[in-house]
C-alpha cells in the first residue's frame, strides 16, 4: 500500500531509497477503455497504447521524476488520473466517515445530477451573496473618504487611459528599445573605425606607396612587397567606400531613443503598479471604472446594492430549500439501501438513518447539517456514528456504502486494506460475500488476515519478508491451489498446523467456491 500510494502521487521522502542505492523506482500499470480517463490523458498530451497506462515515479534524494506513459508530469497530474482508476480504502477512510463534511459528500454524490444542478445554482448565488454581504458589512465610508477614493481612482483611470497601451506594444517595446540603443553604439563604433582606423591607414599607405614603387623599380626583390602593398591599398579603399555607403544608409535618431526610453519607463511603472500583462492592467482599469461608477452617486449605489442583496437573499433561500428537499430525498433512499447492505453484513436489527437539520446561517455547501446516525441493537436510540461505532462496525458501514455505490461507480479498481478490523466468525463470512459481489463489477484487491475473507478470493498472493545478513527484502508471489489451502490453514491454526486444521481450511475453500459458483 505504501508503494502504491507513492506510485499514485503521494508524498515521498528519500527514506524509501534502499541502503546502498541512489534512487528508487515504483511503477503501476493499468488498463482502461474509459473515455473519461483517455480524455483526461489527452488534456495532458499523453497517448495510450491499447488502453495501457503506465504510471512511474523515480525518487532521488528527496525529489522525484513523475511520468505517465513516458511523459513527464507533475505529481498533481498523477493524482488526478489515478483518482479515476483506483480507490484505496484503509483505516483512515473509516475515520474520515466520522466527519460530517464527508457524510454530506456521500449524500450529494448519491443524489446524482438532479442534486448536483441544485447545488451548483445554490453555490453560484451564495458566491454573489457572500461578496455583497462582506462589502455591505465593511462599508463605512464617510463623504470625505468617498471624495478621496474618487480622487485616487480618477488618477489611476487617467494614468492608464492616457498611456494608451496596446498588447503588441507591450510585447515588443523592450526589444525595440534594445535595437535602437544598439543603433547608437553601432554608429559610434563605425564612425571611430572609419575616421581613426581605415581612413588614416589609407592616407599612410598613399604616402609610402610612391617610395616603394621607386625602390621596386631598382630592386627586383622588393617588387613582391610592393605588389602586396598595392593589394592592401585596394582592399582598404574598397572597405572604406563600402563602410561609408553603409553609414550613409544607416539611420539613428537620438530623439527616437529618448522617446522610447520615456515610453519604456512609463510602461514599466504601470506594470509595477497595476499588473505585469496588458490584460492585468486592463482589468485594473475596468475595476477602477466600476468603482468610480459606484462612487459617483454613492447613495444611489448603496440603495441599489441593498435591493440586490435583499433580492439575492430571497433567491438563496429558495435555492437552499430546493437543495435541502433534494438532499432529504437522496438521504431517505440512501439510508434505506445502506440498511439493506448492513443487514447483509450481519448488522441484525440495525437501525441506520441520515439526519438533516437546517442551520441558521448560509454556508458554501448549503444550509444543511448532515449526520449519519445508527443504533446497532434493538431498543437503543440512534446516535451519531462517531459516538457509537467500533472499528469493526465502521469498516462494515464503509463497505455497505461502497457496495451501494458500486453499481454506478466508474472507478474500476478497489483496494481494501484491513477491512476485517474488529470482526470475526459469521460477520467475517458475510463481509467476504459482500466483497465477492463487489468483485463482479470491479477489480477488488483485499489485504486480510482473516481466513473467511481470504477463502473467498479468486486469486491469492502471499507477502513474505526475507531477512538477510545485511538487508531485508519483501516478496509477493502467487499461490497455487495447494498453497492456498496451506496458507488458509496457517491463518486458522497459528503456530501448529494439524491435519484437522488443514481439513477445516480445505472445507472453507470448497464452500467459498460453491458460493461463488
Amino acid at each position: 500500500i505504501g508503494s502504491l500510494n507513492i506510485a499514485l502521487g503521494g508524498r515521498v521522502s528519500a527514506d524509501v531509497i534502499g541502503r546502498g542505492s541512489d534512487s528508487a523506482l515504483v511503477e503501476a500499470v493499468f488498463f482502461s477503455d474509459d473515455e473519461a480517463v483517455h480524455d483526461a490523458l489527452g488534456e495532458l498530451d499523453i497517448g495510450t497504447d491499447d488502453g495501457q497506462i503506465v504510471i512511474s515515479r523515480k525518487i532521488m534524494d528527496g525529489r522525484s521524476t513523475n511520468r505517465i506513459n513516458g511523459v513527464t508530469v507533475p505529481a498533481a497530474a498523477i493524482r488526478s488520473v489515478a483518482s479515476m482508476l483506483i480507490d484505496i480504502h484503509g483505516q483512515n477512510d473509516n475515520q474520515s466517515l466520522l466527519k460530517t463534511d464527508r457524510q454530506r459528500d456521500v449524500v450529494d454524490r448519491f443524489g446524482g445530477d438532479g442534486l448536483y444542478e441544485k447545488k451548483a445554482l445554490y453555490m453560484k448565488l451564495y458566491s454573489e451573496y457572500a461578496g455583497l454581504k462582506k462589502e455591505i458589512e465593511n462599508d463605512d465610508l464617510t463623504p470625505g473618504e468617498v471624495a478621496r477614493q474618487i480622487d485616487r481612482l480618477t488618477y489611476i483611470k487617467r494614468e492608464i487611459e492616457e498611456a494608451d497601451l496596446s498588447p503588441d506594444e507591450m510585447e515588443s517595446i523592450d526589444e525595440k528599445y534594445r535595437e535602437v540603443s544598439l543603433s547608437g553604439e553601432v554608429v559610434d563604433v563605425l564612425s571611430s573605425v572609419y575616421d581613426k582606423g581605415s581612413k588614416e591607414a589609407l592616407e599612410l599607405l598613399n604616402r609610402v606607396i610612391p617610395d616603394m614603387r621607386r625602390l621596386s623599380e631598382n630592386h627586383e626583390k622588393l617588387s613582391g612587397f610592393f605588389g602586396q602593398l598595392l593589394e592592401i591599398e585596394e582592399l582598404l579603399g574598397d572597405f572604406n567606400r563600402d563602410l561609408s555607403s553603409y553609414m550613409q544608409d544607416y539611420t539613428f535618431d537620438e530623439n527616437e531613443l529618448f522617446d522610447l526610453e520615456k515610453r519604456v519607463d512609463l510602461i514599466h511603472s504601470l506594470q509595477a503598479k497595476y499588473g505585469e500583462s496588458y490584460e492585468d492592467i486592463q482589468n485594473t482599469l475596468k475595476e477602477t471604472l466600476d468603482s468610480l461608477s459606484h462612487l459617483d452617486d454613492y447613495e444611489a449605489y448603496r440603495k441599489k446594492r441593498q435591493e440586490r442583496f435583499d433580492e439575492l437573499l430571497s433567491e438563496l433561500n429558495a435555492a437552499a430549500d430546493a437543495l435541502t428537499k433534494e438532499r432529504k430525498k437522496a438521504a431517505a433512499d440512501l439510508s434505506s439501501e445502506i440498511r439493506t447492505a448492513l443487514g447483509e453484513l450481519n448488522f441484525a436489527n440495525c437501525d441506520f438513518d441520515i439526519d438533516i437539520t437546517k442551520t441558521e446561517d448560509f454556508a458554501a455547501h448549503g444550509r444543511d447539517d448532515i449526520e449519519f446516525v445508527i443504533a446497532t441493537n434493538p431498543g437503543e436510540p440512534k446516535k451519531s456514528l462517531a459516538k457509537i461505532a467500533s472499528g469493526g462496525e465502521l469498516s462494515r458501514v464503509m463497505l455497505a456504502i461502497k457496495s451501494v455505490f458500486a453499481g454506478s461507480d466508474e472507478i474500476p479498481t478497489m483496494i481494501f486494506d484491513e477491512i476485517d478490523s474488529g470482526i470475526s466468525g459469521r460477520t467475517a463470512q458475510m463481509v467476504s460475500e459482500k466483497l465477492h459481489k463487489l468483485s463482479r463489477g470491479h477489480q477488488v484487491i483485499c489485504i486480510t488476515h482473516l481466513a473467511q475473507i481470504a477463502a473467498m478470493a479468486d486469486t491469492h498472493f502471499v507477502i513474505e519478508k526475507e531477512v538477510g545478513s545485511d538487508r531485508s527484502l519483501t516478496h509477493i508471489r502467487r499461490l497455487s491451489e495447494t498453497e492456498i489451502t496451506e496458507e488458509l490453514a496457517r491463518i486458522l491454526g497459528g503456530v501448529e498446523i494439524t491435519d484437522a486444521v488443514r481439513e477445516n481450511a480445505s472445507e472453507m475453500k470448497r464452500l467459498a467456491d460453491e458460493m461463488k459458483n
Side-chain angles (χ1 to χ4, degrees), residues 452-468:
Q452 293 96 325
I453 291 178
M456 194 66 71
D458 300 317
T459 307
H460 297 250
F461 295 86
V462 66
I463 303 173
E464 299 170 316
K465 181 174 287 189
E466 175 190 332
V467 180

Side-chain angles (χ1 to χ4, degrees), residues 174-193:
D174 285 331
E175 182 63 30
K176 187 174 182 181
Y177 176 71
R178 282 193 292 271
E179 289 177 2
V180 174
S181 299
L182 185 60
S183 298
E185 184 182 353
V186 168
V187 169
D188 290 342
V189 171
L190 293 184
S191 296
S192 178
V193 169

Side-chain angles (χ1 to χ4, degrees), residues 155-285:
Y155 173 80
I156 294 172
K157 169 181 175 294
R158 184 170 60 249
E159 188 175 33
I160 295 176
E161 287 182 339
E162 289 180 356
D164 193 23
L165 301 173
S166 73
D168 291 341
E169 181 191 29
M170 288 188 66
E171 288 181 7
S172 62
I173 193 165
D174 285 331
E175 182 63 30
K176 187 174 182 181
Y177 176 71
R178 282 193 292 271
E179 289 177 2
V180 174
S181 299
L182 185 60
S183 298
E185 184 182 353
V186 168
V187 169
D188 290 342
V189 171
L190 293 184
S191 296
S192 178
V193 169
Y194 183 76
D195 292 335
K196 298 178 181 180
S198 61
K199 187 177 178 182
E200 290 182 3
L202 188 60
E203 290 173 353
L204 288 171
L205 280 174
N206 287 333
R207 285 203 294 268
V208 300
I209 281 175
D211 293 335
M212 284 295 293
R213 177 181 287 110
R214 181 172 51 81
L215 287 173
S216 66
E217 289 173 352
N218 296 315
H219 295 79
E220 187 176 344
K221 290 183 178 180
L222 295 178
S223 61
F225 293 120
F226 177 63
Q228 290 177 359
L229 200 59
L230 289 178
E231 288 178 8
I232 292 171
E233 186 236 4
E234 184 179 0
L235 285 171
L236 198 53
D238 291 342
F239 174 78
N240 282 348
R241 283 189 294 274
D242 292 343
L243 183 58
S244 176
S245 174
Y246 180 81
M247 290 171 62
Q248 287 175 1
D249 295 336
Y250 195 87
T251 59
F252 169 64
D253 187 341
E254 285 192 17
N255 290 328
E256 181 187 9
L257 178 60
F258 178 72
D259 291 340
L260 267 174
E261 193 168 15
K262 288 200 302 182
R263 188 67 175 167
V264 167
D265 288 343
L266 172 62
I267 289 175
H268 287 176
S269 173
L270 293 176
Q271 287 176 314
K273 293 177 184 177
Y274 309 126
E276 188 66 27
S277 69
Y278 174 82
E279 289 75 17
D280 291 339
I281 295 174
Q282 292 306 305
N283 286 336
T284 300
L285 178 59

Side-chain angles (χ1 to χ4, degrees), residues 292-309:
L292 278 172
S293 70
H294 299 157
L295 293 170
D296 282 341
D297 191 350
Y298 198 51
E299 289 308 314
Y301 168 68
R302 275 179 164 171
K303 181 180 178 183
K304 186 177 179 181
R305 182 183 62 191
Q306 187 61 49
E307 288 173 353
R308 174 54 187 155
F309 183 78

Side-chain angles (χ1 to χ4, degrees), residues 353-390:
D353 222 328
I354 301 174
D355 285 349
I356 298 180
T357 55
K358 192 173 185 178
T359 61
E360 286 293 324
D361 300 319
F362 296 105
H365 55 74
R367 208 173 179 183
D368 306 312
D369 275 341
I370 296 178
E371 186 174 40
F372 289 4
V373 293
I374 189 170
T376 55
N377 296 309
E380 289 182 354
K382 285 178 287 188
K383 295 181 182 179
S384 166
L385 200 62
K387 293 179 180 178
I388 197 169
S390 66

Side-chain angles (χ1 to χ4, degrees), residues 27 33 111 216 222 298 302 357 375 396 431 434 440 455 492:
E27 193 169 73
D33 56 8
S216 66
L222 295 178
Y298 198 51
R302 275 179 164 171
T357 55
R396 282 183 283 165
V431 167
K434 180 63 72 175
R440 298 307 89 182
L492 285 169

